[in-house]
Amino acid sequence: MRRSTTESPALQIVLIAIALLFLAFFLALPLVAVFGEALKAGFGPFLNAVTAPDALSAIKLTLLIAAISVPLNVVFGVAASWAITKFQFPGKSLLISLIDLPFSVSPVVSGLIFVLLFGANGWFGPWLAEHDLKIIFAVPGIVLATVFITFPFVARELIPLMMEQGKDEEEAAISLGASGWQTFRHVTLPNIRWGLLYGVLLCNARAMGEFGAVSVVSGHIRGETNTMPLHVEILYNEYDFVGAFAVASLLAGLALVTLIAKTVLEWRFNLHGSARH
Amino acid sequence: MIRVQNVTKTFGDFAALHGIDLEIKPGEFVALLGPSGSGKTTLLRIIAGLEFQDGGEVLFDGEDVSSRSVGERQVGFVFQQYALFKHMTVAENVAFGLSVRRKGRPPKADIRARAEELLRLVQLDGLGKRYPGQLSGGQRQRVALARALAIEPRLLLLDEPFGALDAKVRKDLRRWLRGLHETMGLTSIFVTHDQEEALELADRVVVMDHGRIEQVGTPEQVYMEPASPFVSNFVGETNQLPGGIHVRPHDIELVASGGIPVVVENVFRRGGSWRVEGRIEGHGNVVEFDVDAAEPAPTLGDTVRIQPLREREFHKHAL
Amino acid sequence: MTASPAAGTRRRWRQPSVLPGLGLTFGLSLGWLTLIVLIPLATIFLKSAGMGWDQFVAVGLSDRALAAYRLSFGTAAAAGLVNAVFGLLVAWVLVRYTFPGQRIIGAIVDLPFALPTAVAGIALTALYSPNGWVGRFLDPLGIKVAFTPIGITVALVFIGLPFVVRSVEPVLADLGKDVEEAAATLGATRLQTFRRVIFPAIAPALLTGFALAFARGVGEYGSVIFISGNMPGRTEIAPLLIVTQLEQYNYDGATAIATVMMLVSFAILLALNVVQAAGRHRYGA
């Protein structure tokens, strides 16, 4: 006899099968296709594609962008989470909704905003031209757009986590004479390290993979303002499919690493007894 | 009539029930009493059909219901945390059992009327349109009860029904439940770890420990004639004297000579008496007993002499 | 090394707290936010406001733009619905059942979050174009996926799924078993219990997941532009129209379209939020 709160084994199997089929078809298949197309012509062309000079500079730029945006957003994310979860102040929920804003705005619109602000005909355009500074169609623009897009990731991971942990431990530390910074380093940081790591992972994955916003602000200048995702688009539009998929597979590989690291982190998280999401 | 025959249940390595035999007469109000882990809730859920036993049978009026699902057994179950459907009104909660019937579902108007009737019975009439989130704990408990009664069950099962409530509300609801049972006469089994509650409400008490029944009897029997040291300790207060002798505090009197010497360690006022705590000279056992407050209180550090008026001896489990 | 002295002057308007650092962290957050979020957003609306109504309508509400809006919002809604159904199924199966490889499946659900949109875009096109991995079987049957709204919907299903699953999972996991047992004791079948007890309890989370997937789908660019075909009036999504305007240096036009998109999205999300809040309020939770 089965328990009153489960379905029949037959139904369970059917439901699991449908779910697995759906996931395999809609999610896994595209991933497989990336690697399949990349290696279609063999390993040689694949290697050539990823070591071509334009590809290499795209890779370098992508790494640079990530190296700048991620730490910036970590600092912000930690500061915002600390402010939101350890204190009471008016406008707290407004702050939280604002943090989520980049998520609900189309990446293209995000890019548009920066063009309106810093483009040649934008508000700051003339001023920038005067001082010989280029933001749009140059690397600073890409950094700015990426920072905007990836800005919620760290905060969104930390806020629920820190809310759940409460402030008892920090208050205890303060009462024992620790300073703000000491409390943060020795009490808060160890408690949030897994969530922080996870937020950094997601932030990084998005920073390296952002396409829409960066496409608008970059000007697609090969060798200079091309990130890896943009380079994929260029190659694809030139019908260099193997090349496009080759570079794409590097990004897909990054995605896999992110997923694996995330799974490992979640597993360790559960071991430490903290709830996830 | 409900009969449980040689029911066993294991969860992995843990043996929750060892060969339980129990018979419950029609209209009885029975308490399953025991500490956590005694198996009382497991037994209740097996009778309900929410769990299935590994061995033995459960019979309702002579019919083996072991293969019947819980919905088919027609039992009303009141859960510890009430398990009310938060997104339905009180009236919808109560009517739920009637509205999901596939065969013989009464027309809507009848269902509504019956729900209202039950809400009147549990003294919640007028609250039908509220949501559970808007009610107090005691009110939610009564909704849970009304909901269980709506399906006209042949057996009512309650799992620690008052556990989550304040002391005062608990007392009121206890009294009220007893009254309800007397009016309705429905066979009922409830699980509790509170022996005061069991003694006050039940026609018969089943004392359980570690998956076994220690004793079945009326509250009087279980209290005055405990069958084992466990029952003696669990039900009511007990003093354990040397030689496996158990004495209730109110069965101890002070004597001028003879008896057992006790060194007084603490004295405090409790109701109309002095509660005296002391240690048996030479043995170290702690004893507690009462002295009428009209008398002067014994002095701390003094040695007094006590005599048990009624005692029970348990040889197997000496101290 | 605390920021308390600075924070002390602000004690009037916020509750005093034991922990230091409010001044510093709040100031930092607000400053960063203003710079990174508020100013950029204000830009859009200010520019729109300064445009003049005729200008706004000429591009923002042109036939081409209207077709693009219909396409973007329509496909996002359709994909959202598909994801609501299958996302619920996936969440259910992950939470309620145990089967081998469960952890891996759980990780795959997050793939759309981790995979760059352009990569997803070309992969989906490779799959569904007429001689693609899947397309070659569908084409003879007359089913065209790539370069049609169906293709766009497929791409949006890909990116929206994690939103639904991750919204529903925690609620499903927290649902107490006793409510289901109660329904069972009252005689409900498993299906009745699902329809009347379980589903209403997870409906808010499902709605949230749908809303998130929808919002993401409307604005999605990279995953869609390769598979959509980009024919104006037929398969041109609104974000692409914005880019096209920008490439022609028609900043006003681009801004007008962006504004319409944002306003409509905002209105829809607000409506969804109101529905949810009304539900919560009613139940007195």
Side-chain angles (χ1 to χ4, degrees):
Chain A
M1 266 314 284
R2 62 183 161 87
R3 301 181 57 107
S4 54
T5 52
T6 55
E7 295 68 56
S8 67
L11 185 57
Q12 288 190 32
I13 293 182
V14 168
L15 291 178
I16 294 177
I18 298 179
L20 289 184
L21 275 170
F22 180 84
L23 289 176
F25 189 72
F26 277 91
L27 263 56
L29 199 53
L31 184 64
V32 172
V34 173
F35 293 108
E37 292 286 326
L39 295 168
K40 205 148 116 160
F43 205 61
F46 173 81
L47 222 44
N48 287 339
V50 300
T51 51
D54 286 339
L56 286 177
S57 73
I59 294 174
K60 272 206 269 277
L61 183 61
T62 302
L63 289 174
L64 176 69
I65 304 285
I68 299 177
S69 350
V70 173
L72 279 178
N73 279 331
V74 165
V75 169
F76 160 73
V78 169
S81 309
W82 177 268
I84 288 174
T85 56
K86 309 285 178 196
F87 303 101
Q88 275 298 117
F89 52 85
K92 203 204 277 213
S93 35
L94 184 61
L95 186 62
I96 296 181
S97 326
L98 284 179
I99 290 179
D100 259 356
L101 219 37
F103 260 14
S104 37
V105 168
S106 168
V108 165
V109 173
S110 312
L112 172 66
I113 290 167
F114 288 108
V115 170
L116 290 178
L117 280 174
F118 303 114
N121 304 338
W123 285 356
F124 295 108
W127 185 88
L128 289 170
E130 255 175 61
H131 298 247
D132 210 19
L133 290 169
K134 271 199 100 177
I135 293 193
I136 302 299
F137 302 159
V139 173
I142 301 182
V143 173
L144 215 48
T146 307
V147 169
F148 177 86
I149 295 281
T150 57
F151 138 133
F153 280 101
V154 176
R156 280 181 108 233
E157 284 309 313
L158 290 182
I159 290 176
L161 181 60
M162 288 168 79
M163 264 202 210
E164 196 204 315
Q165 288 173 350
K167 31 191 182 116
D168 290 352
E169 292 186 37
E170 282 80 5
E171 286 181 343
I174 297 292
S175 70
L176 291 166
S179 73
W181 284 112
Q182 284 174 322
T183 307
F184 176 73
R185 257 181 51 224
H186 297 291
V187 176
T188 318
L189 209 47
N191 275 341
I192 60 173
R193 66 188 153 171
W194 298 122
L196 188 56
L197 209 46
Y198 183 56
V200 166
L201 266 182
L202 285 183
C203 184
N204 180 63
R206 191 67 196 268
M208 293 181 123
E210 176 49 37
F211 180 70
V214 175
S215 177
V216 170
V217 304
S218 77
H220 297 238
I221 305 173
R222 294 176 88 126
E224 266 183 47
T225 61
N226 244 1
T227 60
M228 281 167 82
L230 292 181
H231 198 57
V232 167
E233 184 193 20
I234 288 188
L235 291 175
Y236 190 84
N237 286 337
E238 290 176 350
Y239 299 97
D240 180 3
F241 293 135
V242 171
F245 278 104
V247 179
S249 65
L250 292 179
L251 290 169
L254 171 69
L256 278 178
V257 168
T258 306
L259 284 181
I260 293 174
K262 169 198 181 279
T263 311
V264 168
L265 275 181
E266 263 181 357
W267 183 56
R268 297 205 61 175
F269 227 6
N270 289 331
L271 282 184
H272 285 255
S274 315
R276 275 292 293 126
H277 277 304
Chain B
M1 156 144 103
I2 315 294
R3 179 178 275 144
V4 173
Q5 276 173 190
N6 202 20
V7 158
T8 53
K9 176 77 180 170
T10 25
F11 291 107
D13 291 339
F14 173 64
L17 293 174
H18 303 220
I20 302 285
D21 288 292
L22 189 58
E23 193 180 285
I24 299 179
K25 306 188 206 16
E28 262 202 305
F29 198 162
V30 170
L32 299 181
L33 173 67
S36 330
S38 52
K40 55 193 192 300
T41 300
T42 309
L43 180 57
L44 191 76
R45 288 168 62 88
I46 286 178
I47 296 176
L50 291 171
E51 306 272 359
F52 292 98
Q53 66 273 25
D54 295 321
E57 299 86 35
V58 177
L59 304 151
F60 286 13
D61 293 329
E63 182 199 341
D64 188 353
V65 294
S66 311
S67 57
R68 301 272 203 89
S69 72
V70 56
E72 293 167 337
R73 295 193 194 188
Q74 265 219 302
V75 295
F77 201 102
V78 178
F79 291 80
Q80 195 167 357
Q81 315 275 17
Y82 325 131
L84 295 181
F85 306 131
K86 292 204 248 301
H87 54 277
M88 294 186 206
T89 62
V90 163
E92 283 166 350
N93 264 276
V94 173
F96 185 82
L98 295 169
S99 66
V100 294
R101 258 193 211 157
R102 282 145 293 138
K103 291 178 286 203
R105 182 194 319 171
K108 277 209 176 109
D110 286 2
I111 296 184
R112 234 193 333 259
R114 178 120 177 89
E116 268 164 46
E117 189 190 312
L118 281 157
L119 284 177
R120 252 195 309 275
L121 178 68
V122 298
Q123 288 160 331
L124 289 176
D125 37 321
L127 293 179
K129 291 217 175 6
R130 299 254 185 102
Y131 284 89
Q134 299 164 313
L135 300 180
S136 70
Q139 288 172 321
R140 286 184 213 170
Q141 189 54 285
R142 281 180 278 157
V143 174
L145 192 56
R147 183 178 68 175
L149 291 174
I151 57 171
E152 287 175 358
R154 47 181 168 171
L155 178 62
L156 184 63
L157 303 174
L158 307 106
D159 185 4
E160 311 235 22
F162 308 127
L165 301 168
D166 294 337
K168 172 86 171 65
V169 177
R170 212 183 305 170
K171 269 188 140 47
D172 289 340
L173 276 180
R174 249 192 252 170
R175 199 175 309 133
W176 174 81
L177 183 63
R178 179 79 218 176
L180 194 66
H181 177 260
E182 266 152 34
T183 319
M184 299 192 60
L186 183 56
T187 313
S188 310
I189 309 177
F190 79 102
V191 156
T192 180
H193 58 268
D194 182 345
Q195 40 100 15
E196 211 180 281
E197 192 167 279
L199 295 181
E200 182 184 324
L201 289 179
D203 292 328
R204 272 197 306 154
V205 177
V206 178
V207 184
M208 294 179 68
D209 183 39
H210 285 99
R212 291 191 166 82
I213 294 182
E214 291 274 331
Q215 183 174 5
V216 181
T218 63
E220 168 95 6
Q221 286 171 325
V222 158
Y223 185 78
M224 302 296 278
E225 297 152 34
S228 72
F230 172 80
V231 178
S232 170
N233 275 319
F234 193 77
V235 181
E237 296 176 296
T238 303
N239 292 305
Q240 293 186 12
L241 305 183
I245 300 193
H246 288 212
V247 191
R248 304 277 184 214
H250 53 74
D251 286 335
I252 287 182
E253 64 169 1
L254 286 179
V255 291
S257 63
I260 303 167
V262 169
V263 179
V264 175
E265 289 187 344
N266 194 13
V267 179
F268 56 90
R269 188 72 185 253
R270 229 173 76 149
S273 343
W274 298 112
R275 169 53 62 105
V276 181
E277 288 173 7
R279 239 175 249 279
I280 297 183
E281 212 172 61
H283 281 91
N285 299 28
V286 173
V287 291
E288 290 185 37
F289 57 94
D290 297 317
V291 172
D292 194 336
E295 309 277 331
T299 325
L300 292 178
D302 269 5
T303 303
V304 297
R305 309 196 81 86
I306 61 168
Q307 179 84 270
L309 292 172
R310 294 170 53 90
E311 62 187 48
R312 282 183 80 75
E313 219 172 304
F314 297 105
H315 290 293
K316 261 201 294 187
H317 305 276
L319 296 160
Chain C
M1 269 259 267
T2 72
S4 313
T9 56
R10 276 174 255 194
R11 273 178 200 271
R12 276 175 294 115
W13 58 267
R14 65 163 171 88
Q15 294 165 17
S17 58
V18 173
L19 297 175
L22 175 59
L24 180 66
T25 55
F26 188 63
L28 195 63
S29 318
L30 204 54
W32 196 239
L33 248 178
T34 310
L35 198 61
I36 298 293
V37 180
L38 289 179
I39 291 181
L41 273 180
T43 317
I44 290 272
F45 289 114
L46 285 175
K47 181 128 177 101
S48 284
M51 207 183 291
W53 184 247
D54 291 332
Q55 259 273 54
F56 188 88
V57 170
V59 185
L61 296 177
S62 64
D63 285 340
R64 188 172 171 191
L66 289 176
Y69 302 143
R70 265 199 304 271
L71 187 65
S72 282
F73 286 100
T75 49
L81 282 175
V82 170
N83 277 326
V85 171
F86 285 94
L88 175 56
L89 176 63
V90 170
W92 182 271
V93 158
L94 284 177
V95 171
R96 287 299 175 106
Y97 305 154
T98 9
F99 51 91
Q102 199 165 3
R103 257 190 205 290
I104 303 180
I105 305 296
I108 289 187
V109 169
D110 274 340
L111 180 65
F113 269 170
L115 194 66
T117 52
V119 175
I122 60 174
L124 287 165
T125 315
L127 285 177
Y128 293 104
S129 53
N131 50 357
W133 295 29
V134 175
R136 72 173 73 133
F137 297 112
L138 296 177
D139 202 50
L141 299 173
I143 305 176
K144 298 205 181 300
V145 176
F147 317 128
T148 67
I150 298 183
I152 300 177
T153 310
V154 169
L156 295 184
V157 166
F158 174 86
I159 32 161
L161 185 70
F163 291 103
V164 176
V165 177
R166 292 310 176 206
S167 288
V168 171
E169 252 189 328
V171 177
L172 207 48
D174 278 346
L175 212 55
K177 278 289 175 109
D178 60 349
V179 192
E180 292 177 50
E181 286 183 341
T185 61
L186 294 166
T189 60
R190 205 56 197 137
L191 185 61
Q192 286 173 315
T193 305
F194 179 79
R195 258 182 45 227
R196 299 188 53 177
V197 177
I198 301 177
F199 186 78
I202 57 177
L206 196 56
L207 196 56
T208 303
F210 171 84
L212 291 171
F214 176 78
R216 178 74 191 263
V218 167
E220 184 54 31
Y221 183 70
S223 338
V224 178
I225 55 161
F226 297 98
I227 200 174
S228 63
N230 309 327
M231 279 184 300
R234 294 247 292 276
T235 56
E236 189 181 43
I237 54 171
L240 179 59
L241 192 51
I242 295 179
V243 172
T244 315
Q245 298 295 308
L246 273 177
E247 282 171 353
Q248 295 165 4
Y249 298 101
N250 187 356
Y251 294 133
D252 284 347
T255 311
I257 300 174
T259 310
V260 173
M261 272 185 69
M262 281 171 63
L263 285 176
V264 175
S265 297
F266 182 70
I268 296 181
L269 290 175
L270 190 64
L272 287 174
N273 255 319
V274 165
V275 166
Q276 284 217 22
R280 269 198 304 270
H281 177 75
R282 204 157 69 105
Y283 304 148

